[in-house]
């Protein structure tokens, strides 16, 4: 009896692991096709074929094509390790420079690991309202983090004429996927150099 229970328990764990593996394979296939072919030219059937699963399996896991895109956006965010950013921000409480460094490091990881997905969502969102909503949600979450952090800084650190909304705008303009890709892909900068430059430039723009 005990041996049967053990087998059932491990069978359940195996099924869970297989389901997670299937989700990952579908998401990876969708990412490859969406980036290489574009959103409009890629069908759910294409994704299923690329992932080596049936079309009903894709629908069962993600619901529809828009669901696949949300999954990619979520995976992109997770790839940058938001828990690491949170831990670093909390550890740096009261130290604006270390907090700024934690945010810049998160964005560097995000663009390094999932810049293609972010660009896809933005470009496809120009004609697909559902994708535009996913992209906007991502920007809103990022802005909320910046508002929370910037609002905790004392008034005396700020450069004259810079308030929290302005600081959020300056951060978004400097620490964008376009700036990251221009510097790394076109100008030959290393990701480390981009990250350091972000922190140094933001410090000059935001603080006295």
């Amino acid at each position: 009896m005990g041996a049967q229970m053990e087998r059932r328990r491990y069978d359940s764990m195996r099924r869970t692991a297989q389901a997670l593996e299937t989700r990952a394979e579908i998401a990876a296939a969708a990412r490859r096709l969406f980036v290489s072919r574009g959103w409009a030219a890629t069908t759910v059937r294409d994704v299923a074929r690329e992932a080596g699963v049936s079309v009903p399996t894709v629908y069962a896991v993600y619901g529809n094509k828009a669901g696949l895109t949300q999954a990619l956006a979520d995976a992109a965010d997770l790839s940058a390790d938001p828990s690491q950013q949170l831990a670093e921000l909390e550890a740096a409480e009261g130290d604006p420079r270390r907090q700024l460094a934690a945010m810049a490091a998160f964005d560097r990881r995000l663009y390094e690991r999932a810049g293609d997905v972010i660009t896809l969502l933005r470009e496809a969102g120009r004609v697909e309202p559902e994708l535009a909503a996913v992209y906007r949600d991502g920007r809103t979450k990022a802005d909320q983090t910046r508002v929370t952090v910037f609002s905790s800084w004392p008034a005396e650190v700020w450069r004259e004429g810079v308030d929290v909304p302005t600081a959020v705008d300056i951060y978004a303009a400097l620490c964008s996927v376009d700036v990251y890709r221009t510097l790394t892909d076109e100008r030959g900068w290393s990701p480390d150099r981009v990250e350091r430059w972000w922190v140094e430039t933001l410090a000059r723009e935001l603080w006295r």
Side-chain angles (χ1 to χ4, degrees), residues 7-76:
R7 280 197 296 273
R8 283 199 294 272
R9 182 163 65 88
Y10 284 112
D11 284 345
S12 176
M13 291 173 64
R14 188 175 295 108
R15 285 194 295 272
T16 299
Q18 289 171 342
L20 290 173
E21 185 177 335
T22 298
R23 287 180 69 90
E25 288 172 350
I26 293 171
R31 177 174 181 166
R32 288 193 298 271
L33 293 178
F34 288 159
V35 170
S36 63
R37 297 185 183 179
W39 162 263
T42 302
T43 66
V44 171
R45 184 174 298 279
D46 293 332
V47 173
R49 186 183 303 113
E50 179 76 9
V53 300
S54 67
V55 171
T57 296
V58 176
Y59 282 115
V61 173
Y62 285 114
N64 55 26
K65 188 174 174 181
L68 278 169
T69 310
Q70 181 62 64
L72 293 184
D74 292 343

Side-chain angles (χ1 to χ4, degrees), residues 151-199:
S151 297
S152 72
W153 293 351
E156 59 267 22
V157 307
W158 293 105
R159 185 175 178 177
E160 185 177 355
V162 177
D163 55 11
V164 170
T166 302
V168 171
D169 291 342
I170 291 171
Y171 188 104
L174 282 172
C175 301
S176 71
V177 66
D178 298 305
V179 170
Y180 179 83
R181 286 195 150 179
T182 296
L183 292 176
T184 55
D185 295 348
E186 298 179 19
R187 314 309 302 181
W189 285 31
S190 69
D192 283 341
R193 185 181 178 188
V194 175
E195 186 179 331
R196 289 194 304 271
W197 177 75
W198 276 342
V199 175

